Amino acid sequence: MSLKKILSYALLIFIPISLAAKYLEWNSLVVFITSALGIVPLAIWLSTATEEVAVISGPSIGALLNAVFGNATELIIAIVALRSGLVDIVKASITGTIVSNLLLVMGLSMLLGGLRYKEQEFQPVIARVNGSTMTLAVIAILLPTMVIYTSNGVKESAILNLSITAAAVLILVYALTLVFSLKTHSYLYDVGLVELESETSKGSETEETTHKPNLWLWLGVLAIATIGVAFESEIFVGAVEEATAGLGLTPLFTGVILLPLVGGAAEYVTAVGVAIKNNMDLSVSVAMGSSLLVALLVAPILVFVGLVIHQPMDLNFNPFEVVAVAVAVTVANLISLDGRSNWLEGALLLATYTVLGAAFYFHPA
Protein backbone atom coordinates (compact mmCIF):
# COMPACT_ATOMS: atom_id res chain seq x y z
CA MET A 1 0.00 0.00 0.00
CA SER A 2 1.40 3.40 -1.01
CA LEU A 3 2.15 6.19 1.46
CA LYS A 4 -0.56 8.32 -0.16
CA LYS A 5 -3.21 5.64 0.43
CA ILE A 6 -2.05 5.04 4.01
CA LEU A 7 -2.34 8.76 4.81
CA SER A 8 -5.75 9.00 3.10
CA TYR A 9 -7.15 6.40 5.51
CA ALA A 10 -5.10 6.87 8.68
CA LEU A 11 -5.61 10.63 9.03
CA LEU A 12 -9.40 10.44 8.62
CA ILE A 13 -9.60 9.90 12.38
CA PHE A 14 -8.71 13.56 12.87
CA ILE A 15 -11.94 14.75 11.23
CA PRO A 16 -14.22 13.67 14.13
CA ILE A 17 -11.50 14.70 16.61
CA SER A 18 -11.37 18.20 15.11
CA LEU A 19 -15.17 18.44 15.26
CA ALA A 20 -15.10 17.45 18.93
CA ALA A 21 -12.32 19.95 19.59
CA LYS A 22 -14.31 22.70 17.92
CA TYR A 23 -17.70 22.13 19.52
CA LEU A 24 -16.38 21.16 22.97
CA GLU A 25 -14.24 24.32 22.88
CA TRP A 26 -10.88 22.68 23.45
CA ASN A 27 -7.65 24.65 23.32
CA SER A 28 -7.28 26.60 20.05
CA LEU A 29 -3.93 24.94 19.34
CA VAL A 30 -5.58 21.50 19.52
CA VAL A 31 -8.35 22.67 17.17
CA PHE A 32 -5.74 24.11 14.80
CA ILE A 33 -3.59 20.95 14.67
CA THR A 34 -6.44 18.43 14.44
CA SER A 35 -8.29 20.38 11.74
CA ALA A 36 -5.05 20.76 9.75
CA LEU A 37 -4.49 17.00 9.95
CA GLY A 38 -8.15 16.46 9.04
CA ILE A 39 -7.75 18.50 5.85
CA VAL A 40 -4.83 16.35 4.62
CA PRO A 41 -6.74 13.09 3.92
CA LEU A 42 -9.64 15.04 2.41
CA ALA A 43 -7.18 16.81 0.11
CA ILE A 44 -5.74 13.43 -0.90
CA TRP A 45 -9.21 12.01 -1.62
CA LEU A 46 -10.06 15.16 -3.59
CA SER A 47 -6.90 14.71 -5.65
CA THR A 48 -7.47 10.97 -6.12
CA ALA A 49 -11.11 11.44 -7.18
CA THR A 50 -10.06 14.12 -9.67
CA GLU A 51 -7.46 11.78 -11.16
CA GLU A 52 -9.90 8.87 -11.38
CA VAL A 53 -12.56 10.99 -13.09
CA ALA A 54 -9.83 12.34 -15.38
CA VAL A 55 -8.83 8.83 -16.45
CA ILE A 56 -12.45 7.79 -17.06
CA SER A 57 -13.40 10.94 -18.97
CA GLY A 58 -10.49 10.84 -21.42
CA PRO A 59 -7.27 12.80 -21.96
CA SER A 60 -8.64 16.23 -22.90
CA ILE A 61 -11.37 16.52 -20.27
CA GLY A 62 -9.11 14.74 -17.80
CA ALA A 63 -6.32 17.25 -18.24
CA LEU A 64 -8.82 20.09 -17.84
CA LEU A 65 -10.22 18.56 -14.64
CA ASN A 66 -6.73 18.19 -13.21
CA ALA A 67 -6.02 21.80 -14.13
CA VAL A 68 -9.22 23.09 -12.50
CA PHE A 69 -9.23 20.91 -9.36
CA GLY A 70 -5.45 20.66 -8.95
CA ASN A 71 -5.37 23.31 -6.24
CA ALA A 72 -8.97 23.13 -5.04
CA THR A 73 -7.91 22.64 -1.41
CA GLU A 74 -5.73 25.76 -1.38
CA LEU A 75 -8.49 27.77 -3.07
CA ILE A 76 -11.15 26.64 -0.58
CA ILE A 77 -8.93 27.44 2.43
CA ALA A 78 -8.07 30.83 0.93
CA ILE A 79 -11.72 31.74 0.27
CA VAL A 80 -12.71 30.77 3.81
CA ALA A 81 -9.82 32.84 5.22
CA LEU A 82 -10.68 35.78 2.94
CA ARG A 83 -14.30 35.69 4.08
CA SER A 84 -13.00 35.87 7.66
CA GLY A 85 -11.04 39.01 6.80
CA LEU A 86 -7.58 37.37 6.97
CA VAL A 87 -6.39 39.14 3.82
CA ASP A 88 -2.71 39.23 4.79
CA ILE A 89 -2.66 35.49 5.51
CA VAL A 90 -4.39 34.78 2.19
CA LYS A 91 -1.80 36.83 0.29
CA ALA A 92 1.00 35.10 2.15
CA SER A 93 -0.48 31.68 1.35
CA ILE A 94 -0.45 32.52 -2.38
CA THR A 95 3.26 33.33 -2.39
CA GLY A 96 3.95 30.48 0.03
CA THR A 97 2.30 27.91 -2.23
CA ILE A 98 4.37 29.07 -5.21
CA VAL A 99 7.59 29.00 -3.18
CA SER A 100 6.90 25.62 -1.55
CA ASN A 101 6.00 23.92 -4.85
CA LEU A 102 9.08 25.20 -6.67
CA LEU A 103 11.57 24.68 -3.85
CA LEU A 104 10.21 22.17 -1.31
CA VAL A 105 8.30 19.81 -3.60
CA MET A 106 10.79 19.87 -6.49
CA GLY A 107 13.64 19.71 -3.99
CA LEU A 108 12.29 16.64 -2.21
CA SER A 109 11.48 15.00 -5.55
CA MET A 110 14.95 15.57 -7.00
CA LEU A 111 16.69 14.61 -3.75
CA LEU A 112 14.82 11.35 -3.09
CA GLY A 113 14.63 10.43 -6.77
CA GLY A 114 18.34 11.22 -7.17
CA LEU A 115 19.32 9.03 -4.23
CA ARG A 116 17.69 6.06 -5.98
CA TYR A 117 18.69 6.92 -9.56
CA LYS A 118 22.01 8.61 -10.32
CA GLU A 119 20.45 11.06 -12.77
CA GLN A 120 16.86 11.61 -13.88
CA GLU A 121 15.53 13.25 -17.03
CA PHE A 122 12.43 15.27 -17.88
CA GLN A 123 11.26 17.33 -20.85
CA PRO A 124 13.12 20.68 -20.67
CA VAL A 125 10.71 22.35 -23.12
CA ILE A 126 7.82 22.03 -20.65
CA ALA A 127 10.00 23.39 -17.85
CA ARG A 128 10.98 26.35 -20.06
CA VAL A 129 7.36 27.12 -20.98
CA ASN A 130 6.28 26.90 -17.33
CA GLY A 131 9.27 29.00 -16.29
CA SER A 132 8.47 31.74 -18.81
CA THR A 133 4.84 31.83 -17.69
CA MET A 134 5.88 31.96 -14.03
CA THR A 135 8.11 34.93 -14.85
CA LEU A 136 5.02 36.78 -16.12
CA ALA A 137 3.21 35.92 -12.89
CA VAL A 138 6.10 37.33 -10.86
CA ILE A 139 5.91 40.56 -12.86
CA ALA A 140 2.15 40.81 -12.20
CA ILE A 141 2.78 40.29 -8.48
CA LEU A 142 5.71 42.71 -8.46
CA LEU A 143 4.14 45.70 -10.23
CA PRO A 144 1.42 46.73 -7.72
CA THR A 145 4.01 46.55 -4.93
CA MET A 146 6.50 48.62 -6.93
CA VAL A 147 3.86 51.23 -7.79
CA ILE A 148 3.36 51.89 -4.08
CA TYR A 149 7.05 51.93 -3.21
CA THR A 150 8.05 54.18 -6.12
CA SER A 151 5.41 56.88 -5.65
CA ASN A 152 4.65 59.49 -3.01
CA GLY A 153 1.08 58.38 -2.52
CA VAL A 154 -1.29 56.02 -4.30
CA LYS A 155 -4.98 55.67 -3.57
CA GLU A 156 -6.16 52.23 -2.51
CA SER A 157 -8.71 52.31 -5.31
CA ALA A 158 -5.93 52.75 -7.87
CA ILE A 159 -4.02 49.73 -6.54
CA LEU A 160 -7.24 47.69 -6.51
CA ASN A 161 -8.00 48.68 -10.12
CA LEU A 162 -4.44 47.76 -11.15
CA SER A 163 -4.85 44.42 -9.37
CA ILE A 164 -8.16 43.75 -11.16
CA THR A 165 -6.51 44.52 -14.51
CA ALA A 166 -3.55 42.25 -13.72
CA ALA A 167 -5.89 39.51 -12.48
CA ALA A 168 -7.89 39.61 -15.72
CA VAL A 169 -4.69 39.37 -17.77
CA LEU A 170 -3.42 36.42 -15.67
CA ILE A 171 -6.69 34.53 -16.14
CA LEU A 172 -6.45 35.13 -19.89
CA VAL A 173 -2.86 33.85 -19.89
CA TYR A 174 -3.98 30.76 -17.96
CA ALA A 175 -6.64 30.11 -20.60
CA LEU A 176 -3.94 30.40 -23.27
CA THR A 177 -1.76 27.88 -21.42
CA LEU A 178 -4.70 25.45 -21.44
CA VAL A 179 -5.08 25.89 -25.20
CA PHE A 180 -1.34 25.34 -25.57
CA SER A 181 -1.20 22.21 -23.40
CA LEU A 182 -4.53 20.64 -24.42
CA LYS A 183 -4.70 21.49 -28.11
CA THR A 184 -1.92 23.14 -30.12
CA HIS A 185 1.03 21.48 -28.31
CA SER A 186 -0.67 18.62 -26.47
CA TYR A 187 1.95 16.15 -27.76
CA LEU A 188 4.48 17.71 -25.38
CA TYR A 189 2.35 16.66 -22.41
CA ASP A 190 1.44 13.16 -23.59
CA VAL A 191 4.12 11.43 -21.51
CA GLY A 192 3.03 13.06 -18.27
CA LEU A 193 -0.65 12.37 -18.92
CA VAL A 194 -0.06 8.71 -19.76
CA GLU A 195 2.01 8.31 -16.61
CA LEU A 196 -0.66 10.06 -14.55
CA GLU A 197 -3.24 7.59 -15.82
CA SER A 198 -0.87 4.73 -15.07
CA GLU A 199 -0.16 5.94 -11.53
CA THR A 200 -3.85 6.47 -10.84
CA SER A 201 -4.98 3.09 -12.05
CA LYS A 202 -2.01 0.99 -10.94
CA GLY A 203 -3.31 0.42 -7.42
CA SER A 204 -6.59 -1.07 -8.72
CA GLU A 205 -5.22 -2.76 -11.83
CA THR A 206 -6.56 -6.19 -10.87
CA GLU A 207 -10.09 -4.94 -10.32
CA GLU A 208 -10.11 -2.99 -13.58
CA THR A 209 -9.51 -6.14 -15.60
CA THR A 210 -13.16 -7.00 -14.99
CA HIS A 211 -14.80 -3.57 -14.92
CA LYS A 212 -13.99 0.10 -15.36
CA PRO A 213 -13.94 2.53 -12.42
CA ASN A 214 -17.37 3.81 -11.47
CA LEU A 215 -17.67 7.42 -12.71
CA TRP A 216 -20.60 8.30 -10.43
CA LEU A 217 -18.83 6.83 -7.41
CA TRP A 218 -15.78 9.03 -7.97
CA LEU A 219 -17.93 12.08 -8.71
CA GLY A 220 -19.59 11.44 -5.35
CA VAL A 221 -16.20 11.15 -3.64
CA LEU A 222 -15.16 14.39 -5.35
CA ALA A 223 -18.26 16.21 -4.07
CA ILE A 224 -17.98 14.82 -0.52
CA ALA A 225 -14.25 15.60 -0.32
CA THR A 226 -14.85 19.16 -1.54
CA ILE A 227 -17.59 19.75 1.06
CA GLY A 228 -15.39 18.14 3.73
CA VAL A 229 -12.45 20.39 2.89
CA ALA A 230 -14.71 23.45 3.06
CA PHE A 231 -16.09 22.40 6.45
CA GLU A 232 -12.68 21.55 7.94
CA SER A 233 -11.28 24.80 6.52
CA GLU A 234 -13.89 26.75 8.49
CA ILE A 235 -12.65 25.10 11.69
CA PHE A 236 -8.99 25.52 10.70
CA VAL A 237 -9.26 29.20 9.79
CA GLY A 238 -11.30 29.94 12.91
CA ALA A 239 -8.42 28.75 15.09
CA VAL A 240 -5.43 29.82 13.02
CA GLU A 241 -4.93 33.35 14.40
CA GLU A 242 -5.21 32.49 18.09
CA ALA A 243 -3.21 29.26 17.78
CA THR A 244 -0.32 30.72 15.79
CA ALA A 245 -0.20 33.83 17.98
CA GLY A 246 0.10 31.53 20.98
CA LEU A 247 3.05 29.84 19.30
CA GLY A 248 4.65 33.21 18.60
CA LEU A 249 4.23 32.90 14.84
CA THR A 250 3.47 35.91 12.64
CA PRO A 251 0.64 35.94 10.07
CA LEU A 252 3.35 36.19 7.40
CA PHE A 253 5.08 32.97 8.49
CA THR A 254 1.73 31.23 8.98
CA GLY A 255 0.57 32.06 5.46
CA VAL A 256 3.85 31.45 3.66
CA ILE A 257 4.98 28.26 5.43
CA LEU A 258 2.16 26.56 7.38
CA LEU A 259 -0.89 26.95 5.12
CA PRO A 260 0.80 25.58 1.95
CA LEU A 261 1.92 22.50 3.91
CA VAL A 262 -1.70 21.78 4.85
CA GLY A 263 -3.35 22.61 1.52
CA GLY A 264 -0.74 21.05 -0.76
CA ALA A 265 -0.18 17.74 1.02
CA ALA A 266 -1.75 15.66 -1.77
CA GLU A 267 0.44 17.24 -4.46
CA TYR A 268 3.55 16.80 -2.34
CA VAL A 269 2.94 13.09 -1.87
CA THR A 270 2.14 12.62 -5.58
CA ALA A 271 5.17 14.54 -6.88
CA VAL A 272 7.65 12.85 -4.53
CA GLY A 273 6.10 9.42 -5.06
CA VAL A 274 6.41 9.46 -8.85
CA ALA A 275 9.93 10.91 -8.65
CA ILE A 276 11.01 7.92 -6.56
CA LYS A 277 9.55 5.75 -9.36
CA ASN A 278 11.82 7.57 -11.85
CA ASN A 279 9.08 9.66 -13.47
CA MET A 280 10.50 13.16 -13.17
CA ASP A 281 8.36 14.34 -16.11
CA LEU A 282 5.21 14.01 -14.03
CA SER A 283 6.90 15.17 -10.82
CA VAL A 284 8.13 18.42 -12.39
CA SER A 285 4.76 18.91 -14.12
CA VAL A 286 2.92 18.57 -10.79
CA ALA A 287 5.25 20.96 -8.95
CA MET A 288 5.52 23.65 -11.63
CA GLY A 289 1.92 23.18 -12.84
CA SER A 290 0.60 23.71 -9.32
CA SER A 291 2.62 26.91 -8.97
CA LEU A 292 1.28 28.14 -12.30
CA LEU A 293 -2.29 27.35 -11.30
CA VAL A 294 -1.95 29.35 -8.09
CA ALA A 295 -0.27 32.33 -9.78
CA LEU A 296 -2.44 32.49 -12.90
CA LEU A 297 -5.83 31.32 -11.62
CA VAL A 298 -6.16 31.04 -7.84
CA ALA A 299 -4.72 34.48 -7.03
CA PRO A 300 -6.79 36.30 -9.72
CA ILE A 301 -9.96 34.45 -8.68
CA LEU A 302 -9.41 35.57 -5.08
CA VAL A 303 -9.18 39.19 -6.25
CA PHE A 304 -12.63 38.92 -7.86
CA VAL A 305 -14.09 36.82 -5.02
CA GLY A 306 -12.94 39.51 -2.59
CA LEU A 307 -14.98 42.10 -4.49
CA VAL A 308 -18.09 39.90 -4.41
CA ILE A 309 -17.92 39.13 -0.66
CA HIS A 310 -16.88 42.71 0.22
CA GLN A 311 -13.41 41.75 1.42
CA PRO A 312 -11.28 43.55 -1.20
CA MET A 313 -7.94 41.88 -1.88
CA ASP A 314 -5.36 43.46 -4.16
CA LEU A 315 -2.08 42.11 -5.51
CA ASN A 316 0.02 44.44 -3.37
CA PHE A 317 2.19 41.86 -1.60
CA ASN A 318 4.75 42.28 1.13
CA PRO A 319 8.03 43.22 -0.64
CA PHE A 320 9.82 40.29 0.99
CA GLU A 321 7.16 37.91 -0.35
CA VAL A 322 7.83 39.25 -3.85
CA VAL A 323 11.57 38.71 -3.35
CA ALA A 324 10.94 35.14 -2.15
CA VAL A 325 8.80 34.30 -5.20
CA ALA A 326 11.38 35.85 -7.55
CA VAL A 327 14.16 33.82 -5.90
CA ALA A 328 12.13 30.60 -6.10
CA VAL A 329 11.25 31.09 -9.77
CA THR A 330 14.84 32.02 -10.69
CA VAL A 331 16.43 29.06 -8.89
CA ALA A 332 13.83 26.58 -10.20
CA ASN A 333 14.28 27.85 -13.76
CA LEU A 334 18.08 27.59 -13.59
CA ILE A 335 18.01 24.05 -12.23
CA SER A 336 15.37 22.78 -14.69
CA LEU A 337 16.86 24.30 -17.87
CA ASP A 338 18.88 21.22 -18.89
CA GLY A 339 16.07 18.70 -18.38
CA ARG A 340 18.18 16.66 -15.93
CA SER A 341 18.20 16.41 -12.15
CA ASN A 342 20.22 14.76 -9.40
CA TRP A 343 20.22 14.59 -5.61
CA LEU A 344 22.54 17.61 -5.23
CA GLU A 345 20.18 19.88 -7.17
CA GLY A 346 17.37 18.70 -4.92
CA ALA A 347 19.47 19.52 -1.86
CA LEU A 348 20.16 23.01 -3.25
CA LEU A 349 16.42 23.66 -3.71
CA LEU A 350 15.72 22.46 -0.16
CA ALA A 351 18.54 24.60 1.20
CA THR A 352 17.06 27.66 -0.51
CA TYR A 353 13.61 26.86 0.94
CA THR A 354 15.10 26.40 4.43
CA VAL A 355 16.88 29.76 4.32
CA LEU A 356 13.72 31.51 3.06
CA GLY A 357 11.65 29.75 5.74
CA ALA A 358 14.06 30.95 8.45
CA ALA A 359 13.92 34.49 7.02
CA PHE A 360 10.11 34.47 7.18
CA TYR A 361 10.22 33.09 10.72
CA PHE A 362 12.42 35.94 11.95
CA HIS A 363 10.72 38.59 9.81
CA PRO A 364 9.03 41.03 12.22
CA ALA A 365 6.08 41.89 9.94
Side-chain angles (χ1 to χ4, degrees):
M1 186 178 286
S2 66
L3 175 61
K4 186 175 180 179
K5 187 169 287 187
I6 292 173
L7 291 175
S8 69
Y9 286 110
L11 295 182
L12 286 174
I13 187 64
F14 287 100
I15 296 175
I17 293 176
S18 66
L19 292 174
K22 165 69 175 177
Y23 292 106
L24 295 179
E25 299 182 351
W26 294 354
N27 183 278
S28 61
L29 182 59
V30 176
V31 177
F32 173 75
I33 293 174
T34 55
S35 59
L37 292 173
I39 289 173
V40 173
L42 291 169
I44 293 176
W45 279 111
L46 181 60
S47 172
T48 302
T50 302
E51 292 167 3
E52 288 285 355
V53 174
V55 171
I56 298 168
S57 58
S60 297
I61 297 177
L64 183 61
L65 282 171
N66 277 293
V68 172
F69 285 94
N71 286 79
T73 304
E74 289 93 331
L75 180 59
I76 293 170
I77 294 175
I79 290 175
V80 172
L82 186 60
R83 195 177 65 184
S84 300
L86 306 178
V87 179
D88 290 339
I89 289 182
V90 172
K91 287 183 181 179
S93 70
I94 292 171
T95 56
T97 301
I98 296 172
V99 170
S100 63
N101 277 310
L102 293 179
L103 298 180
L104 178 61
V105 179
M106 280 184 61
L108 281 173
S109 300
M110 290 182 178
L111 175 64
L112 298 179
L115 290 175
R116 188 170 184 181
Y117 303 95
K118 189 172 183 179
E119 192 171 66
Q120 295 177 291
E121 297 183 358
F122 52 90
Q123 295 188 62
V125 63
I126 296 179
R128 285 198 298 271
V129 170
N130 288 341
S132 300
T133 314
M134 277 304 306
T135 303
L136 166 67
V138 171
I139 293 172
I141 290 174
L142 174 67
L143 286 179
T145 304
M146 289 302 98
V147 166
I148 288 180
Y149 283 88
T150 56
S151 60
N152 295 325
V154 183
K155 293 182 179 179
E156 288 187 12
S157 59
I159 293 299
L160 183 59
N161 289 334
L162 174 58
S163 299
I164 292 171
T165 303
V169 171
L170 290 177
I171 291 175
L172 174 61
V173 170
Y174 184 70
L176 294 176
T177 63
L178 289 181
V179 174
F180 181 87
S181 60
L182 299 181
K183 193 167 183 64
T184 62
H185 290 70
S186 59
Y187 59 89
L188 295 175
Y189 298 80
D190 285 345
V191 174
L193 184 59
V194 169
E195 292 295 339
L196 175 61
E197 294 176 1
S198 174
E199 290 297 330
T200 303
S201 59
K202 191 175 291 182
S204 56
E205 194 173 78
T206 304
E207 291 86 348
E208 289 185 37
T209 56
T210 56
H211 64 278
K212 291 183 178 181
N214 189 320
L215 175 61
W216 293 107
L217 171 64
W218 286 109
L219 285 174
V221 172
L222 185 63
I224 292 171
T226 302
I227 294 171
V229 168
F231 195 79
E232 283 291 308
S233 296
E234 290 276 1
I235 300 174
F236 176 76
V237 169
V240 66
E241 279 193 303
E242 185 178 347
T244 53
L247 292 172
L249 303 177
T250 63
L252 184 62
F253 180 83
T254 301
V256 173
I257 303 299
L258 294 186
L259 259 63
L261 293 178
V262 174
E267 289 135 15
Y268 299 171
V269 174
T270 298
V272 174
V274 296
I276 293 174
K277 296 175 183 176
N278 202 28
N279 183 6
M280 280 305 296
D281 264 317
L282 180 55
S283 184
V284 170
S285 292
V286 169
M288 298 193 80
S290 181
S291 296
L292 275 178
L293 186 60
V294 169
L296 300 181
L297 189 64
V298 173
I301 284 177
L302 289 172
V303 171
F304 291 112
V305 168
L307 293 174
V308 173
I309 64 175
H310 305 294
Q311 290 285 0
M313 190 193 91
D314 54 39
L315 295 179
N316 172 31
F317 290 86
N318 181 304
F320 191 65
E321 293 177 67
V322 176
V323 171
V325 172
V327 167
V329 171
T330 302
V331 173
N333 283 346
L334 289 173
I335 284 182
S336 61
L337 277 177
D338 61 352
R340 296 173 179 271
S341 66
N342 53 60
W343 66 264
L344 179 59
E345 291 180 334
L348 293 176
L349 289 173
L350 290 175
T352 306
Y353 181 77
T354 302
V355 172
L356 283 176
F360 278 112
Y361 180 77
F362 291 108
H363 197 289

